[in-house]
Amino acid sequence: MIKMKKILAAALAVVMCMAIVGCDKKDDTAAPADSAADSVVSSVEQTPATEDNADKADEKTTKTTLVMATNASFPPYEYYENEKIVGIDAEIAELIAEKLGLTLEIKDMEFGSIIGAVQTGTVDIGMAGMTVTEERLVTVDFSDSYATAVQAIIVKEGSDIQTADDLQGKKIGVQESTTGDIYATGDFGDENLKRFSKGNDAVAALASGIVDAVIIDNEPAKNYVAANDGLKVLDTSYAEEEYAIAVNKDNTDLKEKINAALAELKADGTIDKIVAKYIPEK
Ligand code: ARG
């Protein structure tokens, strides 16, 4: 029996939310008229994943950049638009960098490499629709949460899979090293999983019948389904999660500054506004 998971992160996030203002959703009027969301991305500096910028991240004393690791095939959080990385995370990170007096630089990499890059200091932050989990908290710290998500199940229209329980014995596609991968491995067994380096590759495999279902975060799931005929997201959710920004354990100062910036961006409605821009129906 597959039960809905409520990971430790959810509890943590509640505690964090109580400590800061504006964690709850705002309906309202507080958002600035001129959307920061519209302008910020153009100033984002981006480097290809192959370029080695470790030296930059190491210059702690004269730092002018905030180097962010992400995996940019995860709309609406991070994805390419005209060769630029845009999305909810890119915009929030840009505003945080601005508040810290730094220039944001985004490095696109495999999702599974992000935590290691934060841990070794190759980058300053990891922001990639990344879920706070107990395992990740062993190696990195996380900021306060800035979004909630659920792991969703995508199937072909007309599939006999209706709930998570129906996934037993089926071939399941996941993005490697994500929580979808981790939970599904535990629940359904390694032999039933097919891991892909990108979420959209998993979805393409579903469309072509290589896997029977894909477990992935709900908002990307909706995006992928919209881009592929004949697929649907099941109503049932597989796990609830909190997204936060990964920071090196030794960099408490940066984490505190990020939390302060996030609190302001929540309180003045900016985050809601960015989310509404990318997820209009929310
Ligand atoms: N929320 C999931 C996790 O943290 C998936 C995140 C995948 N993000 C991405 N940018 N590909 O494991």
Side-chain angles (χ1 to χ4, degrees):
M1 182 69 178
I2 308 306
K3 284 201 276 72
M4 163 91 80
K5 293 185 180 55
K6 293 199 194 279
I7 54 175
L8 166 90
L12 268 179
V14 171
V15 177
M16 288 168 174
C17 281
M18 294 191 310
I20 54 167
V21 201
C23 227
D24 51 332
K25 220 160 160 42
K26 291 204 173 51
D27 36 339
D28 75 325
T29 52
D34 178 17
S35 170
D38 291 328
S39 57
V40 291
V41 216
S42 55
S43 63
V44 177
E45 272 181 33
Q46 294 170 1
T47 18
T50 47
E51 196 175 316
D52 182 9
N53 277 325
D55 50 337
K56 280 193 192 168
D58 282 339
E59 291 167 11
K60 293 234 160 73
T61 42
T62 55
K63 265 188 77 55
T64 56
T65 54
L66 182 70
V67 184
M68 159 180 158
T70 199
N71 172 255
S73 55
F74 202 65
Y77 295 97
E78 43 268 328
Y79 59 101
Y80 282 91
E81 204 172 79
N82 304 324
E83 297 179 19
K84 233 177 229 314
I85 296 171
V86 298
I88 294 172
D89 289 348
E91 296 213 13
I92 294 175
E94 174 65 20
L95 295 174
I96 290 173
E98 200 174 280
K99 283 183 186 289
L100 269 55
L102 301 169
T103 308
L104 182 69
E105 187 184 313
I106 301 180
K107 294 180 89 169
D108 188 13
M109 59 181 70
E110 294 288 310
F111 183 77
S113 303
I114 298 173
I115 295 276
V118 172
Q119 197 187 3
T120 56
T122 315
V123 301
D124 301 307
I125 60 170
M127 192 171 187
M130 186 177 281
T131 306
V132 183
T133 69
E134 265 178 277
E135 295 76 15
R136 292 173 183 163
L137 279 165
V138 173
T139 43
V140 293
D141 270 356
F142 279 98
S143 71
D144 293 336
S145 170
Y146 63 90
T148 56
V150 298
Q151 290 295 309
I153 302 166
I154 311 176
V155 294
K156 273 193 171 172
E157 269 165 19
S159 164
D160 57 352
I161 299 168
Q162 281 164 6
T163 68
D165 288 335
D166 300 334
L167 290 172
Q168 295 292 359
K170 303 278 188 188
K171 259 278 174 273
I172 304 164
V174 292
Q175 184 184 12
E176 187 153 19
S177 303
T178 61
T179 45
D181 179 2
I182 297 159
Y183 303 155
T185 304
D187 285 339
F188 306 108
D190 204 46
E191 66 284 4
N192 292 313
L193 254 65
K194 209 163 158 44
R195 302 186 173 86
F196 298 86
S197 106
K198 290 179 180 158
N200 36 318
D201 294 343
V203 174
L206 173 63
S208 60
I210 295 168
V211 297
D212 303 310
V214 168
I215 297 179
I216 200 147
D217 306 44
N218 59 325
E219 291 302 334
K222 285 195 245 161
N223 272 266
Y224 296 141
V225 164
N228 287 273
D229 282 342
L231 303 182
K232 64 174 184 185
V233 182
L234 293 185
D235 258 347
T236 153
S237 87
Y238 176 57
E240 288 181 359
E241 315 188 308
E242 298 281 342
Y243 289 170
I245 302 170
V247 184
N248 189 291
K249 277 196 178 292
D250 295 331
N251 213 344
T252 318
D253 182 52
L254 179 63
K255 187 179 80 179
E256 279 165 9
K257 285 180 177 153
I258 288 173
N259 282 340
L262 272 177
E264 286 175 20
L265 294 170
K266 286 175 189 171
D268 71 5
T270 305
I271 290 191
D272 285 345
K273 198 162 184 181
I274 293 170
V275 170
K277 175 181 161 187
Y278 285 94
I279 312 175
E281 73 275 16
K282 208 170 184 180

